[in-house]
Amino acid sequence: MNTADLGLPVAVPSTALFTDHYELTMVQAALRGGTADRRSVFEVFTRRLPEGRRYGVVAGTGRVLDAVANFRFEPEILEFLREREVVDEPTLKWLADYRFRGDISGYPEGEVYFPGSPVMRVEGTFAECVLLETVVLSILNHDSAVAAAASRMAVAARGRPLIEMGARRTHELSAVAAARAAYVGGFSTTSDLAAGFRYGIPTVGTSAHAFTLLHDTERDAFTAQVESMGSGTTLLVDTYDVAEAVRTAVEVAGPGLGAVRIDSGDLLLLAHRVRQQLDGLGARDTRIIVTSDLDEYAIASLAAAPVDAYGVGTQLVTGSGHPTASMVYKLVARADSCDPGAPLRPVAKKSMGGKLSVGGVKWAARRPDADGVAEAEVVGTGEVPAELADHLLTVDLVRGGEIVARERLEAARERHLRARDGLPLSATQLSRGEPVLPTEYTVG
Amino acid sequence: MNTADLGLPVAVPSTALFTDHYELTMVQAALRGGTADRRSVFEVFTRRLPEGRRYGVVAGTGRVLDAVANFRFEPEILEFLREREVVDEPTLKWLADYRFRGDISGYPEGEVYFPGSPVMRVEGTFAECVLLETVVLSILNHDSAVAAAASRMAVAARGRPLIEMGARRTHELSAVAAARAAYVGGFSTTSDLAAGFRYGIPTVGTSAHAFTLLHDTERDAFTAQVESMGSGTTLLVDTYDVAEAVRTAVEVAGPGLGAVRIDSGDLLLLAHRVRQQLDGLGARDTRIIVTSDLDEYAIASLAAAPVDAYGVGTQLVTGSGHPTASMVYKLVARADSCDPGAPLRPVAKKSMGGKLSVGGVKWAARRPDADGVAEAEVVGTGEVPAELADHLLTVDLVRGGEIVARERLEAARERHLRARDGLPLSATQLSRGEPVLPTEYTVG
């Protein structure tokens, strides 16, 4: 439902209804009460990482920019809101003219984050900012959850290519965003054609068990595939007996066979056996791809196995146990009047249940130690200490309603690699632990 | 990306790219090898329920029908496939003419299912059926996971209304489908406006903490909300001090205040205190809505508390620990030739790792005991035993490419209630256990 980061010609329906009912009723009440135009700052942050995780990964920023640009209340939407009596006529009139004219800044896509990191800041009138809450959180919470899982898997794969193939395990459009987030997190390719179409991510795939079963013999299936796709293709070798399939595959395709894929069984054992068999058959360059319910731990356990690429589905698109980040969108400061020049006052909920929020407009910096390795995430209000001025994390994304930070998806992917490389070594341990950087608050 | 079940005027882009790359390359190889037109039967089923779950809930069927109807390779899609060299020219030509002309049958939406239940059957030529694999699984796996969680929550809520409010915790379009699946599973309303627009699900919502924080005092906020939305509104009472907020709320709105919402803290304790306070203030009809990170267990723990409605977010849209069903789409039978009259032959993968599949075209029935309570899910091939003829579960959904089973979403919702009511009592225990019905295979 969002245009491609690369400007591909995808139809972009309005994103205005990806919104909770209460955002609109709040606008109505604020319009009527005369507070709708109070200058306000909302902050996106998370109070905690998923249990045991060392870092989070910001993903979805490019999609947020698209969503904001296309957040318009078209006539059919207004008619729906009128018929259902969601809001009153003055509010409908205000919505009809709505476009976001404020400012958005935040951590750039691919950057890592920690508890309390001000991942995104949305600034404008209360009414124009509050409307964006739901769609901003939907995108960041989903995409960041997948990117974090992808990043861990990429660490575990130690440079071997990762193929995203989880489309069938998640909502069909969630799948497209998941492929995008996986790419940011370090995956190389995807099976999802829509992700190729929208985001230019390389797509891959050859055949499933059904293709083998369609034929009278496995040999017939391999022959049909090689005749159609050439010997560089990947043959699936675990429909019946793996050893027999590998023998047949090399007989049919020759020693130039591109790859074999194993989708079940003891992958560690099978990878060794198949490698030995392929080498014995002279197919030394034939690669081995494994694809059976992998997660970062299974990938790590195959580090010493002769595996050339991993295909990952379910665990990737479901965030490897954590299908959503827990980012929230909170009002942290607002003016006392609708005068555009009125100063901002920090605000925060004070209540039971540990949901304490830190008010105020914040900056964030990642402080390096003497060796240039990050040692703390510093979040502050007021003036930025001079020694942190070169380490600020936040960039402008939207100024006065105009997007100022479009970038290629590769830029986010490369940024993530750099950001991860800048963390202490323990960041890439898969074992459970505390966030690899402490978050320090300083009040200026 | 799918039209509404109710025929609302939603634009419907093609669903053809919600497809794994390998589905298309298999079509290419089968076209070239002369096997593409072999009559084939694919079956959707799951080998297991999520750990500890007693039953699954079929959801997404209506969306599958939309996806099949809109599975067309438009010119811009064909151009993408050509440029990326996904498939060759003869295949592109075949895809340009593609529309599904086969048959689909399955468990109707809202029905419960068990391991091995043939939830859906897709029959036609190999090529026309294999293409649908990814999108069919995306929809059923996502929607069924959410509906199963919703059903458990509805059981736990014992008739009290449930509000779906998880949009911000999942992909923005996943959220719309989740609201739909939650409605099938027993939720009453949603916060998601797009779900109201597309599916006619009632939407609700009033205000967030940001609205209170926007104002100089809580009283100002409540006054603005009540003036705009009337005293029947729901006031959020946990921004500062709950007791003070409740007092202010009744002062501002009068004893006719519609409801108060509590979003943090010890909900059991607070609900009792707030009820007592409201009653003491004469607001005996003011309802209490709770909305803080609820799942089915938290809901059950509030059964004895004076709570009038539950709002559920994260745990609902992420399937309460199981964000995807594990349904697969397997070739279970196919002809030996492309002769349309050639008999179907059962096929199944035989391999390591416990991924054994049962081949053959199956029927399914739910056998009742003498009291009319379901006692087994019977799945068979061949002739249906006479005593099961009245208990068959599968219905026609598509015949010769035409949808024959459109229905209102309410029909699925009502069906789910009936299906759940027909299960043994232990089905609705929240504790972990085995599927409440055993699956029996009979070979005819």
Side-chain angles (χ1 to χ4, degrees), chain A residues 1-2 20-21 25 28 63 138 141 167-169 172 191 203 206 213 228 238-239 324 334 350-351, chain B residues 2 20-21 25 28 63 138 141 167-169 172 191 198 203 206 213 228 238-239 324 334 350-351:
Chain A
M1 232 49 175
N2 293 287
D20 284 329
H21 188 118
T25 52
Q28 173 182 312
R63 300 209 308 118
S138 287
N141 275 326
R168 64 190 57 193
R169 299 299 186 189
E172 64 275 19
S191 66
T203 63
T206 55
L213 295 172
S228 171
D238 72 334
T239 305
T324 184
R334 50 96 184 151
K350 277 176 206 159
S351 187
Chain B
N2 293 288
D20 284 330
H21 188 118
T25 53
Q28 174 182 311
R63 298 208 310 118
S138 288
N141 275 326
R168 65 191 55 195
R169 298 300 186 188
E172 64 276 22
S191 65
R198 291 180 181 219
T203 62
T206 55
L213 295 173
S228 171
D238 72 334
T239 304
T324 183
R334 51 93 184 152
K350 278 175 204 159
S351 187

Side-chain angles (χ1 to χ4, degrees), chain A residues 15-94:
Chain A
T15 52
L17 285 185
F18 298 138
T19 299
D20 284 329
H21 188 118
Y22 78 3
E23 319 286 9
L24 269 61
T25 52
M26 285 192 279
V27 169
Q28 173 182 312
L31 283 171
R32 175 147 173 170
T35 50
D37 285 339
R38 288 188 172 191
R39 188 142 199 93
S40 297
V41 179
F42 286 83
E43 182 187 301
V44 176
F45 65 96
T46 181
R47 297 185 179 94
R48 57 188 177 282
L49 297 181
E51 203 194 326
R53 290 284 179 85
R54 308 305 180 102
Y55 60 91
V57 180
V58 177
T61 315
R63 300 209 308 118
V64 167
L65 299 182
D66 288 334
V68 171
N70 296 300
F71 201 96
R72 305 291 177 90
F73 292 85
E74 296 160 349
E76 61 179 9
I77 292 179
L78 294 168
E79 194 43 43
F80 160 75
L81 298 173
R82 177 177 289 117
E83 275 178 17
R84 293 293 203 90
E85 300 179 354
V86 174
V87 286
D88 60 17
E89 287 298 325
T91 309
L92 290 171
K93 191 166 176 315
W94 186 89

Side-chain angles (χ1 to χ4, degrees), chain B residues 287-299:
Chain B
R287 302 188 315 143
I288 298 176
I289 302 173
V290 297
T291 58
S292 179
D293 278 341
L294 298 176
D295 62 10
E296 61 267 46
Y297 304 102
I299 292 167

Side-chain angles (χ1 to χ4, degrees), chain A residues 1 11 13 76, chain B residues 1-4 8-14 70 197-198:
Chain A
M1 232 49 175
E76 61 179 9
Chain B
M1 235 44 180
N2 293 288
T3 187
L8 291 169
V10 177
V12 185
S14 168
N70 296 299
F197 183 69
R198 291 180 181 219

